[in-house]
Amino acid sequence: MDAIRDAARFLYRLIVLWVVDVISLLLTAAILPGFEFQAVDGSSALVVAVAAAFLLGIVNLLIRPVILLLALPLGLIAVAMVGFVVNTVALQITSALLPGFLIDNWWV
């Protein structure tokens, strides 16, 4: 019974975090110029945002722990700064892999 309860908690947490990621990406697209979702092949921009949140989660799962582990000996401020850079790289990778997720300018 504990295994089922643990699996249900994990699934609930995954769904909640995924929804929060989608909302944060959509809010970012609404606020920042040049950060947008476009409908692709008959799918809506919302579907592209959901796919972007999923792909961004996978990219962060793969690259973030390794890079932050390498930055850990440099101190807390270095880890925080590297975290921002890692998020930027993850967004760049996600934007390159997913059609309909466009970021025009990275430095403004």
Side-chain angles (χ1 to χ4, degrees):
M1 192 64 162
D2 286 336
I4 295 172
R5 186 176 299 133
D6 290 340
R9 283 185 195 158
F10 174 76
L11 187 60
Y12 177 74
R13 178 178 157 85
L14 177 71
I15 291 171
V16 168
L17 289 175
W18 195 0
V19 169
V20 169
D21 285 345
V22 170
I23 291 170
S24 66
L25 284 173
L26 289 172
L27 284 174
T28 303
I31 293 170
L32 292 178
F35 192 101
E36 62 182 302
F37 296 100
Q38 295 178 345
V40 175
D41 296 333
S43 64
S44 70
L46 180 62
V47 172
V48 175
V50 169
F54 181 73
L55 187 58
L56 185 62
I58 291 173
V59 170
N60 272 325
L61 178 73
L62 296 175
I63 67 169
R64 186 178 179 113
V66 174
I67 294 175
L68 290 179
L69 185 64
L70 293 173
L72 194 59
L74 301 174
L76 184 61
I77 294 179
V79 170
M81 298 310 283
V82 169
F84 285 121
V85 172
V86 168
N87 282 331
T88 303
V89 170
L91 279 171
Q92 288 175 342
I93 292 170
T94 304
S95 176
L97 292 175
L98 190 65
F101 178 38
L102 306 171
I103 301 175
D104 289 339
N105 193 352
W106 294 99
W107 304 110
V108 176

